[in-house]
Amino acid sequence: MLAPDQFAVNEAWIAFRLSDAPVRTARDGDFHFVALMDAASGFILGAVPVAVAAGQPSTVETDELLAEARRHKDGWPHTLLLSAGLAADTLVDRAAAQGITVARVPEDQLLVFYGGARQAFREKFGTARPDGHG
Protein backbone atom coordinates (compact mmCIF):
# COMPACT_ATOMS: atom_id res chain seq x y z
CA MET A 1 0.00 0.00 0.00
CA LEU A 2 1.29 3.45 -0.90
CA ALA A 3 1.78 6.14 1.75
CA PRO A 4 2.99 9.77 1.73
CA ASP A 5 6.11 8.91 3.75
CA GLN A 6 7.35 6.75 0.85
CA PHE A 7 8.01 9.87 -1.22
CA ALA A 8 10.20 12.96 -1.02
CA VAL A 9 8.62 16.33 -1.77
CA ASN A 10 8.28 16.79 -5.54
CA GLU A 11 9.30 13.19 -6.25
CA ALA A 12 5.78 12.22 -7.29
CA TRP A 13 2.61 14.05 -8.16
CA ILE A 14 -0.84 12.49 -8.14
CA ALA A 15 -3.51 13.34 -10.71
CA PHE A 16 -7.06 12.65 -9.58
CA ARG A 17 -10.63 13.82 -9.79
CA LEU A 18 -11.10 16.16 -6.84
CA SER A 19 -14.88 16.20 -7.12
CA ASP A 20 -16.51 12.86 -6.58
CA ALA A 21 -19.77 14.13 -8.09
CA PRO A 22 -20.37 16.81 -10.72
CA VAL A 23 -20.58 20.45 -9.72
CA ARG A 24 -23.73 21.69 -11.38
CA THR A 25 -23.97 25.13 -12.97
CA ALA A 26 -27.06 26.58 -14.61
CA ARG A 27 -25.15 28.41 -17.32
CA ASP A 28 -22.28 26.10 -18.28
CA GLY A 29 -23.48 22.63 -17.34
CA ASP A 30 -21.83 20.07 -15.09
CA PHE A 31 -18.14 20.00 -14.19
CA HIS A 32 -15.67 17.80 -12.40
CA PHE A 33 -12.41 19.17 -11.06
CA VAL A 34 -9.15 17.42 -11.88
CA ALA A 35 -6.30 18.16 -9.49
CA LEU A 36 -2.59 17.57 -9.08
CA MET A 37 -1.20 16.92 -5.61
CA ASP A 38 2.32 16.45 -4.30
CA ALA A 39 2.40 12.87 -2.95
CA ALA A 40 4.72 13.60 -0.01
CA SER A 41 3.22 16.84 1.30
CA GLY A 42 -0.42 16.49 0.23
CA PHE A 43 -0.25 20.02 -1.19
CA ILE A 44 -2.74 20.65 -4.01
CA LEU A 45 -0.61 22.03 -6.83
CA GLY A 46 -3.53 23.02 -9.01
CA ALA A 47 -7.01 22.09 -10.18
CA VAL A 48 -9.03 22.74 -13.32
CA PRO A 49 -12.74 22.42 -14.06
CA VAL A 50 -13.49 19.86 -16.76
CA ALA A 51 -16.89 19.68 -18.42
CA VAL A 52 -18.54 16.34 -17.68
CA ALA A 53 -19.58 16.18 -21.34
CA ALA A 54 -15.90 16.39 -22.40
CA GLY A 55 -14.95 13.41 -20.25
CA GLN A 56 -11.34 14.50 -19.72
CA PRO A 57 -9.23 17.66 -19.59
CA SER A 58 -8.62 19.38 -22.90
CA THR A 59 -5.14 20.29 -24.10
CA VAL A 60 -5.62 23.86 -22.81
CA GLU A 61 -6.88 22.64 -19.41
CA THR A 62 -4.01 20.16 -19.15
CA ASP A 63 -1.39 22.76 -20.00
CA GLU A 64 -2.96 25.18 -17.50
CA LEU A 65 -2.90 22.53 -14.76
CA LEU A 66 0.70 21.53 -15.42
CA ALA A 67 1.87 25.15 -15.60
CA GLU A 68 0.20 25.96 -12.28
CA ALA A 69 1.76 22.90 -10.63
CA ARG A 70 5.19 23.67 -12.02
CA ARG A 71 5.01 27.24 -10.71
CA HIS A 72 4.47 25.85 -7.21
CA LYS A 73 7.36 23.40 -7.40
CA ASP A 74 9.70 25.12 -9.86
CA GLY A 75 10.29 21.83 -11.63
CA TRP A 76 8.84 18.51 -12.64
CA PRO A 77 8.42 15.39 -10.53
CA HIS A 78 10.06 12.08 -11.39
CA THR A 79 6.71 10.28 -11.37
CA LEU A 80 3.06 11.07 -12.06
CA LEU A 81 0.60 8.69 -10.44
CA LEU A 82 -2.86 8.69 -12.00
CA SER A 83 -5.97 7.30 -10.49
CA ALA A 84 -6.75 4.29 -12.69
CA GLY A 85 -10.21 5.56 -13.59
CA LEU A 86 -9.15 9.09 -14.51
CA ALA A 87 -9.52 9.83 -18.21
CA ALA A 88 -6.57 12.10 -18.95
CA ASP A 89 -4.83 11.11 -22.18
CA THR A 90 -3.38 14.57 -22.82
CA LEU A 91 -2.04 14.76 -19.27
CA VAL A 92 -0.30 11.41 -19.74
CA ASP A 93 1.18 12.57 -23.07
CA ARG A 94 2.32 15.96 -21.74
CA ALA A 95 3.91 14.41 -18.64
CA ALA A 96 5.74 11.78 -20.69
CA ALA A 97 7.02 14.52 -23.02
CA GLN A 98 8.67 16.14 -19.96
CA GLY A 99 10.40 12.85 -19.09
CA ILE A 100 8.02 12.09 -16.23
CA THR A 101 7.32 8.41 -15.59
CA VAL A 102 3.54 7.88 -15.61
CA ALA A 103 1.87 5.08 -13.66
CA ARG A 104 -1.79 4.19 -13.35
CA VAL A 105 -2.69 3.18 -9.78
CA PRO A 106 -5.97 1.75 -8.44
CA GLU A 107 -7.97 4.48 -6.74
CA ASP A 108 -8.18 2.55 -3.46
CA GLN A 109 -4.37 2.84 -3.18
CA LEU A 110 -4.45 6.61 -3.74
CA LEU A 111 -7.37 7.57 -1.49
CA VAL A 112 -5.01 7.78 1.48
CA PHE A 113 -3.40 10.74 -0.32
CA TYR A 114 -6.44 12.66 -1.54
CA GLY A 115 -9.42 11.40 0.43
CA GLY A 116 -9.26 14.37 2.80
CA ALA A 117 -9.04 16.88 -0.05
CA ARG A 118 -12.03 15.27 -1.73
CA GLN A 119 -14.01 15.39 1.52
CA ALA A 120 -13.14 19.08 2.02
CA PHE A 121 -14.21 19.82 -1.57
CA ARG A 122 -17.49 17.99 -0.99
CA GLU A 123 -18.17 19.98 2.19
CA LYS A 124 -17.31 23.33 0.58
CA PHE A 125 -19.28 22.84 -2.62
CA GLY A 126 -22.07 20.59 -1.36
CA THR A 127 -21.53 17.84 -3.89
CA ALA A 128 -22.75 14.40 -2.98
CA ARG A 129 -21.17 11.11 -3.95
CA PRO A 130 -23.02 9.14 -6.61
CA ASP A 131 -23.98 6.53 -3.99
CA GLY A 132 -25.95 9.23 -2.13
CA HIS A 133 -23.62 9.46 0.87
CA GLY A 134 -21.79 12.55 2.08
Side-chain angles (χ1 to χ4, degrees), residues 68-129:
E68 184 177 359
R70 189 161 191 259
R71 277 191 300 273
H72 282 291
K73 292 297 183 179
D74 197 26
W76 298 113
H78 298 289
T79 305
L80 177 64
L81 305 173
L82 276 87
S83 173
L86 180 66
D89 296 336
T90 303
L91 181 57
V92 169
D93 292 345
R94 292 285 204 258
Q98 294 301 323
I100 301 167
T101 301
V102 178
R104 291 263 182 196
V105 179
E107 184 164 20
D108 64 344
Q109 291 185 31
L110 293 177
L111 279 173
V112 67
F113 294 92
Y114 60 75
R118 192 177 268 177
Q119 176 64 33
F121 186 92
R122 184 182 313 125
E123 289 170 5
K124 182 170 177 106
F125 293 101
T127 60
R129 294 191 322 230

